[in-house]
Amino acid sequence: MIEFRIDRRSGVATYLQIVQQTKQALRLGLLEPGDRLPTAREVVEATAINPNTVLKAYRELEREGLVEARRGLGTFVRKSLVGAATGSPLGRELTEWMRRAHTTGLDRESVAALFQAALDEEFPEGEQ
Amino acid sequence: MTYEGAALEAAGLDMKYGRSSNHVLRDCSFRLPTGRICALVGANGAGKSTLLALASGLLRPAEGTIRMLGGTPAEVRERFAYVAQSKPLFPQLTVAETLRLGAELNPRRWDQAAAERIAYNDGPEPGARIRKLSGGQRTRVALALAFGKRAELLLLDEPMADLDPLARQRLTGALMAETVEHGTTIVMSSHVIAELEGACDYLFLLGSGRMRLAGECDEILAAHRRLTGMQGEFGQHTVIEERGAGRGRTALVRPNGDTDAGSWDVEEPSLEEVLLAHLRNPDAPDLRTRSATPAPRLEAAV
Amino acid sequence: MTVPTIGSRRPESAEAPDRSGAARGPRGLLWLTLRTHRAALWCWTILVAALVGWLMWLYGQGAEADRFAGYESCGTGPGVPECPSFDYMGAFDIGAAVIAWTPFAVAAYAGGVLVARDLENGTAALSWTQSVSPARWLTVRLAAASAVVLAGTLLLTTAIRWVWTSYDKSLVNPWYMSDVFHATGVVSLAYTVLAVAVGALAGLLAKRTLPAMGLAFGAFLPVYVAADMYRARLWPTTHLSGLKASQVPDDADQISLGLITDDGRRINELDCFDSETSARLERCLDHEGGRDVFAQIHPASHYWPIQFVETGIVLALAAVVIWAAFRLLRQRTAS
């Protein structure tokens, strides 16, 4: 059962943090289709946040088609996000780029910095 | 069983202590819809405890009316629960006997399982005497009494005051978990705003004897902006607080119209910022959202 | 984006409140009241048992003391019995005093512990927000306390009456003395009820334990003082004259005695009392220049009438105090 970590100081809305962490879990394969998400009660007991927030997050995930709520049973994962990364053309391009960067002589930190800068440029924080 | 109106509604509440002319509450009006988890904040001596005691029927207001769950506090005695700041319990009883107290005094609605869940979950032994318990354990038992009652409305006066951070987090979590199933309305008074920010979706700020801020947290936050910049005047916006910032100025405002994104850096403030600004500036105008305004017939009855 | 409100959530479980073993209202509150005053209940029971036991022992001593009834003195002379080694009268007086003054302890307890303690430490508020109305809370407390102290007082009064009536009453202080009057009759029950009532009102007024005890004690005292002062007026006195007056019985409450002079004045002259015959009385009156002797008394037969009248007054007072207590409670709380 995954657990959510809520950072109240991060400036990101609580329900968004849940949505993002769920998606991350889906990408990493920690959650697969058919797995049950923790109930609102379980989340709330562990994180002491408002139950409304959890419901809002789950509705958002349902709206995106990633989960579905089954009455009386809980909320279950519907779609996986694994493989959206490595198998795709984008993934292959990235692996290729990594090899070139390595050959050029860049170290790990420099690559990470390059990557972070490009990421921030294209996907500013806080937006979807 | 669920009441569809206001969980708590008051109009024109007036309360003063003894013969002093100091009014603890003066013309205080507000409304709390059901199902909300509400934070009641205010400076020390602002009257939070008095307000909760009035709502619980332990005090009679000098003037004004207060209604909860559609009736007077005396009428709905069985449907709400109150825990005072001192978490009063009988020191000579054991924990088990205290839970029995709850069962005996609330014959028609007592959920022993729910009470035990809160009381014993990393809490004390059933046979332990109340006077030997730590602050956190006492709070658990006091809350267990409130929860076993299956109340539709919980009024908690600084419930987390004596607890260490871990106990606070656990207990708040337990509180939230219990409300998930029953849509309980909770009013918690507290000083620790940062902790309330995650749990509460409704806010009451009590000051100068009345509700200065009342309404959904989201709406209240959306109604405020922090503007920072070099331009001298804040124009048509209602300024709550203004200070210098380097060579320019920064202000917490309630925008009236468009905030000119060009000349100002516009930010959404945190709840703590908004509350602190209002506490520092007692003259700031009140703000009440629609759902926090008592029904007209109640106001007219004053 | 619509925000689902908590009110619109479906309950994940619909459990009915647990009804097994649920008690009806007053019974539950009664259990709580008795349980939280357990120590006092034990103390009272032990006190009553000890006193009753002591009174029964005193009964045994009374037999010996009874031998001296009618004798003016004791000693080693002829026709005079040996002095008893035990002061029966003193012991009886102490017993009567303890029983007569028990209501003060009851008042202090009712004020300080029964009412004020719970107000002070917030457990009254606890009961009131656990579905018990303040009025019901006070009612059960008053009723339970009254029942317990009444039962004990009844036992004590019965025991001391038994000792008192078993022997010559002249062995001890007379019936009209305050302590004896309080302890041996039905007024003891009435004062007990008043003590609970006064204590409760004091507790509501003072709201803290020690001040409440002080207030209860201080408010109860004038009642006793006034009762002692005015007791004789509760029933019409009997007027005696002539030989009857002169031979006024020893066990009568002598309100005023004296001589009616020839010119009709009444003076406090006791010279002609205890005359054995009418002739002697006449001679004495001639000698003293008086027309007649007079005596205004309450004979022993007035014991029960005065007891009942005083009981009625005290109970009426208790009713007023109880009404005041409930009114005060209603004014303060939204009940």
Side-chain angles (χ1 to χ4, degrees), chain C residues 291-309:
Chain C
R291 202 191 306 164
D292 198 355
V293 285
F294 73 92
Q296 191 188 9
I297 61 164
H298 277 299
S301 59
H302 284 191
Y303 175 86
W304 281 116
I306 299 178
Q307 281 273 341
F308 282 122
V309 172

Side-chain angles (χ1 to χ4, degrees), chain B residues 99-115:
Chain B
L99 293 188
R100 182 178 163 191
L101 180 172
E104 295 276 358
L105 296 188
N106 303 290
R108 277 187 284 270
R109 343 162 30 123
W110 180 253
D111 188 340
Q112 182 73 9

Side-chain angles (χ1 to χ4, degrees), chain B residues 83 87-89 94-96 98-99 110 115 118-120 123-125 128 130 133 135-147 171:
Chain B
V83 180
K87 330 265 184 314
L89 294 169
T94 63
V95 178
T98 307
L99 293 188
W110 180 253
I118 300 253
Y120 296 136
E125 293 292 316
I130 298 291
L133 296 184
Q137 292 173 326
R138 275 179 66 113
T139 304
R140 275 198 174 269
V141 177
L143 286 177
L145 279 179
F147 268 102
L171 217 42

